[in-house]
Amino acid sequence: MADRQQTDPAPQWWSRPEGTAGDARREGVPAPRPEVEAEGEGGAQAASAAPVVRYDPWGVQPLQVVDRGRTPRGIRLWQVVALSVGTALLAGGIGGYLGVLAERRSSTRLELPQAAAADRGRAPESVAGIAATALPGVVTLHVRGEKGSGTGTGFVLDQQGHILTNNHVVADSKEIAVTFSTGESVTAELVGRDSGYDLAVVKVSGVRGLRPLSLGNSENVKVGDPVVAIGAPFDLSNTVTAGIISATGRPVTAGGDKGDGSDISYVDALQTDAPINPGNSGGPLLDARAHVVGINSAIRGADKDDPTRQGGSIGLGFAIPINQGKRVAEELISTGRATHPVIGVTLDMEYTGDGARVGDKGEDGKPPVVAGGPGARAGIRAGDVITKVDGQRVRGGDELIVKIRAHRPGDALTLTVLRDGRESTLKVVLGSANGS
C-alpha cells in the first residue's frame, strides 16, 4: 500500500486528557490551562466549541502540546553581573597571554639593569696596571730531558733574546721551548746556569718585538711593600697573583738531591705571601712600579709527615733578590759561568751550636783554612765560631754561606768571631771561586 497522509481522526490516547479542574489526576499529568479552569460550569461547552488539538504524526512539524508551566521571566541582575565578570576575566587572561606571546615573538628582548661601560684603563701602580706592563715580557718554559718534562717561567732581559729563569727549571734539559704571552712558541738554547744560585739564562733567536722587563733594586724593598708574581703554576701560563713582602734576608737552602752538596742553592731570599706554586719558578716578583725585585724560586710547604700537608702555596714563597740575580745573569751571559764569593775556609756542617764553626780539617785532608786565602789573611783559625756577619746574627753554617753569597767577590765584610770564649771582630775581603 502506498504511503499517504493519515486523514482519519487520530486515536483519542494521542490527545491531551480532558476533564474539569475538580477531576482527579494521575501523578505527573499537568493541570488544565488556566483559561479552561476559569470558565467554571460552562467549561464543557467551551471545550467542545474550541477545536481539539491533536498530534498528527504525519505532519511536517510535530506539534508540542505538553504544558511547560509558566512563561520564563527575563534575565535577572545577578546573572548579568556574573556573566560580565566572567567575560572580563576571560578577556583579561586572553589579552595577557596574547601580549606575552606578542612580546616574545617581537624583536624587542628583555634587558636587565647593568652598569655602563667604563674606561678600561687602570692605574699603573694597580695590580692590573702592573700585569699589563709586565706580561709581554714574561715567558713560559717547557723543558724536556732524560728524566722527563717540566714547566717553568722566565722573563726577558734584553733585545738580544736573553731570558732569566731558575737553574732547576732547565737542569739536565735536552729541549727547551719558550712560549710568549701572545701564544707564540720558539725553541731556546741554554747559555749558562749556576746551581749554587739556582739561576740560569737561555736565549731565543729571530724573535722581534721583545719586551724586556725593567730591573729594580732589591735593596730598596721593605717589609709590607706590595708585590705581584707572574708565572705558569701547573702550566697555567700568564697567571698573576698579588701579596706583600713578608720578610727580607731569609736564609733559604734548596736542592741537595744529588747528595754531594753540589746542587744545593743558598739564597738570602725575599719572603712573600703572593701565591707561588710549581711552575712559578723563575718568574718575576714585581714592585708597584712593575720593576723586577726578585726571581720566584722556592716555597715552603707543610712537613712531609703532616697528614694535612699541602702540595701548593701556603703563603710562604721565596724569591732571589734581583741584585744577586742581575750579577749572576751578567756573568752567565758573558762567560757561561758565575763566580761565588768565598772566605777560604771549610765549615763543620755537623756543628749544632749557635753560629758557624770552622772545621778542624779540610777536604781531602787539607787544612780547614786555605793558606793565603781571604780567611787566613783576616786571621781566622780552625775551631773559630763565626756568630755575626756585618752585625747580623748567623745560627749555622748554611746561614753563613747564604750571607756571604749575598755579596760580590771583593766586598769587605766584618765577621764577629768567638774564640776560646772571647768574642772579637775580623775584617775579611771576599775572594772568588767558579760556580758549578
Side-chain angles (χ1 to χ4, degrees):
M1 180 173 65
D3 291 339
R4 59 186 176 89
Q5 184 174 357
Q6 177 68 36
T7 57
D8 296 331
Q12 286 295 324
W13 62 270
W14 280 349
S15 64
R16 183 180 60 184
E18 296 178 358
T20 61
D23 292 340
R25 298 178 177 84
R26 288 172 300 180
E27 183 178 355
V29 179
R33 293 183 182 275
E35 57 269 24
V36 175
E37 293 179 352
E39 289 176 354
E41 294 181 357
Q45 267 183 336
S48 61
V52 178
V53 180
R54 301 184 187 280
Y55 178 74
D56 184 359
W58 301 104
V60 178
Q61 295 181 346
L63 177 62
Q64 302 297 328
V65 296
V66 178
D67 190 354
R68 298 294 185 181
R70 296 182 180 180
T71 303
R73 297 181 180 178
I75 299 176
R76 296 184 178 181
L77 179 59
W78 70 269
Q79 293 175 321
V80 175
V81 173
L83 180 61
S84 300
V85 172
T87 303
L89 291 176
L90 180 61
I94 295 175
Y97 172 76
L98 293 178
V100 172
L101 186 62
E103 181 178 354
R104 289 182 178 179
R105 292 185 176 181
S106 66
S107 59
T108 303
R109 64 180 182 180
L110 176 65
E111 291 191 11
L112 298 175
Q114 185 180 28
D119 182 11
R120 301 182 64 181
R122 295 292 185 270
E125 67 276 8
S126 67
V127 174
I130 295 169
T133 300
L135 276 172
V138 181
V139 301
T140 301
L141 285 80
H142 294 96
V143 180
R144 187 181 301 276
E146 293 180 355
K147 298 181 180 180
S149 59
T151 302
T153 308
F155 57 93
V156 179
L157 292 172
D158 54 31
Q159 292 289 349
Q160 287 69 46
H162 293 107
I163 294 170
L164 184 61
T165 186
N166 281 141
N167 172 70
H168 72 261
V169 172
V170 297
D172 302 321
S173 62
K174 298 297 182 182
E175 299 177 9
I176 303 174
V178 171
T179 303
F180 294 87
S181 60
T182 58
E184 178 187 8
S185 294
V186 296
T187 58
E189 62 176 349
L190 180 64
V191 174
R193 64 187 184 87
D194 187 275
S195 60
Y197 288 115
D198 193 20
L199 291 172
V201 173
V202 301
K203 184 180 181 181
V204 295
S205 301
V207 180
R208 298 181 179 180
L210 293 174
R211 298 278 297 275
L213 296 188
S214 298
L215 305 184
N217 191 327
S218 51
E219 294 294 332
N220 297 331
V221 174
K222 301 297 181 183
V223 174
D225 284 348
V227 287
V228 171
I230 302 179
F234 300 101
D235 204 15
L236 298 172
S237 60
N238 304 325
T239 295
V240 178
T241 57
I244 62 170
I245 295 293
S246 303
T248 61
R250 290 292 197 204
V252 174
T253 58
D257 296 333
K258 293 183 178 180
D260 58 2
S262 62
D263 61 336
I264 297 179
S265 302
Y266 299 90
V267 180
D268 197 29
L270 301 174
Q271 181 183 330
T272 179
D273 67 348
I276 298 173
N277 291 286
N280 273 102
S281 295
L285 187 69
L286 305 137
D287 64 13
R289 294 185 294 174
H291 293 169
V292 181
V293 294
I295 303 102
N296 301 318
S297 181
I299 61 174
R300 175 67 165 87
D303 294 333
K304 294 182 179 180
D305 57 354
D306 184 352
T308 63
R309 174 182 174 86
Q310 290 181 249
S313 172
I314 60 172
L316 295 173
F318 302 95
I320 302 169
I322 193 58
N323 288 15
Q324 183 173 324
K326 176 179 179 293
R327 179 184 71 82
V328 174
E330 290 170 345
E331 293 184 350
L332 293 176
I333 293 172
S334 298
T335 66
R337 301 178 67 87
T339 58
H340 296 174
V342 295
I343 61 175
V345 301
T346 299
L347 298 176
D348 179 7
M349 303 305 290
E350 303 296 327
Y351 179 68
T352 58
D354 191 25
R357 182 179 182 275
V358 179
D360 296 322
K361 60 181 180 180
E363 296 179 0
D364 301 327
K366 296 180 181 180
V369 180
V370 178
R377 291 193 297 269
I380 298 176
R381 300 176 185 177
D384 285 352
V385 178
I386 301 173
T387 58
K388 295 179 183 179
V389 175
D390 285 342
Q392 294 182 350
R393 192 150 193 101
V394 294
R395 296 174 176 80
D398 288 343
E399 285 195 27
L400 177 61
I401 297 174
V402 167
K403 295 300 182 185
I404 291 174
R405 289 196 180 179
H407 295 81
R408 292 173 178 267
D411 288 350
L413 302 178
T414 299
L415 304 181
T416 300
V417 177
L418 184 64
R419 181 187 300 165
D420 298 329
R422 295 181 179 180
E423 197 173 73
S424 61
T425 58
L426 303 174
K427 298 287 185 180
V428 62
V429 177
L430 298 178
S432 177
N434 290 327
S436 58

